[in-house]
C-alpha cells in the first residue's frame, strides 16, 4: 500500500513539475542575435579602425557611432521583418476564417481527415472534428495549428522584437567601448572585455539550448576573436597603404 501511495505521489509531482520553456516568444531570437551582433560587429569595427594606427579618440568615436547606427538598424530590421511575417500569418488566418464561414462542412471533413491520417478511428475522428467545429474561433485555432503550424493567440510582436533587438545590440556594442569611456587609451582592454562578454553570452545562450555552457561560450569567443583579428589585420594593411 505504501509503495502504491509513493508511486502515486511521484507521478503527481512529475505532472505538476512538467513544464516547458517558451520557444515561440518574439523576444529571444532578436535579443540573443542583437547582443552577439553588437559585440562582434562593434569589436571588429573598432579593431579595424585601431589597426590603421589612429588616435584612441577616433576609435571611441567609431565605437559610439557603430553602437548607435547598429542598434537603430537592428531595431528597424527586426520590426519590419516580424511585422511582415505577422501580416502574412494574419492574411492566411483571414483565408481560413472565410473558408470556415463559407464551407463549414468541408472544413470539418478536412479536420477529420487530418485526425484519421494520424491514426484516429474514422468514427472518433468525425466526432472530434464535429465537436471542435461548433465554436468558430476554436475551429480557426485548431485549423491554424494543424494546417499552418501556428497559434493565432501567440503571434510574435514587432514592437517586442524591435525593442529587444535595440537594447541587446546596444548593450553588446557598449562593451568594447566601455574601457575607453573609463579611461583606457589602448585597444587591448576593450578586446579583453569584449571577448569575455562573448564567452558570457555564449554560456548564457546554452541555458536555453541543448549545448553545454563551455562549448557555447568558447564557440562565440572563437568566432568573435577571429572577426576582430581579421579586421585588425585588414585595418593595418589598409592603414599602411593609405598612409
Amino acid at each position: 500500500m505504501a509503495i502504491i501511495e509513493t508511486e502515486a505521489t511521484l507521478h503527481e509531482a512529475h505532472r505538476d513539475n512538467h513544464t516547458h520553456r517558451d520557444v515561440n516568444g518574439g523576444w529571444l531570437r532578436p535579443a540573443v542575435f542583437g547582443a552577439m551582433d553588437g559585440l562582434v560587429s562593434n569589436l571588429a569595427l573598432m579593431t579595424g579602425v585601431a589597426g590603421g594606427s589612429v588616435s584612441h579618440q577616433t576609435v571611441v568615436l567609431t565605437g559610439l557611432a557603430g553602437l548607435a547606427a547598429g542598434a537603430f538598424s537592428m531595431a528597424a530590421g527586426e520590426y519590419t521583418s516580424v511585422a511582415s511575417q505577422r501580416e502574412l500569418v494574419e492574411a492566411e488566418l483571414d483565408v481560413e476564417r472565410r473558408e470556415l464561414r463559407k464551407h463549414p462542412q468541408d472544413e470539418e471533413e478536412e479536420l477529420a481527415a487530418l485526425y484519421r491520417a494520424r491514426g484516429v478511428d474514422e468514427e472518433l475522428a468525425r466526432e472530434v472534428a464535429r465537436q471542435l467545429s461548433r465554436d468558430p474561433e476554436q475551429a480557426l485555432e485548431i485549423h491554424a495549428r494543424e494546417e499552418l503550424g501556428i497559434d493565432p493567440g501567440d503571434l510574435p510582436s514587432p514592437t517586442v522584437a524591435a525593442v529587444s533587438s535595440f537594447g541587446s545590440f546596444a548593450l553588446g556594442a557598449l562593451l568594447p567601448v566601455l574601457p575607453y569611456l573609463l579611461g583606457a587609451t589602448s585597444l587591448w582592454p576593450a578586446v579583453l572585455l569584449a571577448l569575455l562578454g562573448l564567452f558570457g553570452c555564449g554560456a548564457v545562450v546554452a541555458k536555453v539550448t541543448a549545448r553545454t555552457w563551455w562549448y557555447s561560450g568558447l564557440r562565440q569567443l572563437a568566432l568573435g576573436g577571429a572577426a576582430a583579428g581579421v579586421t585588425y589585420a585588414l585595418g593595418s594593411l589598409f592603414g599602411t597603404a593609405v598612409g
Side-chain angles (χ1 to χ4, degrees):
M1 183 67 179
I3 295 176
I4 295 176
E5 290 178 353
T6 301
E7 290 179 348
T9 302
L10 290 174
H11 177 73
E12 184 68 24
H14 175 74
R15 185 178 65 184
D16 291 342
N17 293 326
H18 187 69
T19 58
H20 293 283
R21 292 166 292 189
D22 178 18
V23 297
N24 293 320
W27 65 272
L28 180 60
R29 184 185 65 84
V32 171
F33 179 71
M36 295 296 184
D37 191 29
L39 268 166
V40 175
S41 64
N42 219 28
L43 174 62
L45 178 64
M46 292 172 64
T47 53
V49 171
S53 301
V54 300
S55 66
H56 77 276
Q57 289 91 345
T58 302
V59 178
V60 174
L61 181 60
T62 300
L64 292 175
L67 185 157
F72 281 109
S73 176
M74 286 286 293
E78 281 293 336
Y79 185 91
T80 301
S81 175
V82 175
S84 299
Q85 179 187 8
R86 186 182 179 109
E87 289 164 2
L88 174 61
V89 170
E90 289 174 343
E92 292 300 312
L93 289 175
D94 286 340
V95 171
E96 192 65 37
R97 190 177 286 109
R98 286 196 301 272
E99 289 299 312
L100 284 168
R101 185 174 61 252
K102 294 179 179 178
H103 310 289
Q105 289 301 121
D106 291 342
E107 292 297 305
E108 182 179 321
E109 176 56 35
E110 184 178 319
L111 192 59
L114 286 172
Y115 291 133
R116 286 198 302 272
R118 295 187 177 184
V120 180
D121 292 339
E122 170 82 21
E123 185 177 347
L124 180 58
R126 287 185 176 278
E127 179 61 20
V128 170
R130 185 188 67 79
Q131 292 190 29
L132 291 177
S133 299
R134 287 185 298 194
D135 181 353
E137 287 305 312
Q138 179 176 258
L140 175 64
E141 181 178 339
I142 297 298
H143 279 274
R145 288 178 184 271
E146 297 291 342
E147 298 177 30
L148 303 176
I150 59 173
D151 182 356
D154 192 27
L155 299 181
S157 166
T159 302
V160 170
V163 171
S164 299
S165 183
F166 181 93
S168 59
F169 185 98
L171 183 61
L174 179 63
L175 283 184
V177 187
L178 193 58
Y180 283 103
L181 298 179
L182 296 178
T185 57
S186 67
L187 179 66
W188 301 114
V191 171
L192 178 61
L193 182 59
L195 292 179
L196 288 174
L198 282 169
F199 182 85
C201 282
V204 169
V205 168
K207 295 295 184 180
V208 293
T209 66
R211 293 290 187 183
T212 58
W213 65 270
W214 58 267
Y215 176 87
S216 184
L218 288 176
R219 179 175 61 182
Q220 294 303 326
L221 177 63
L223 292 173
V230 170
T231 52
Y232 184 85
L234 291 174
S236 298
L237 178 64
F238 295 151
T240 301
V242 173

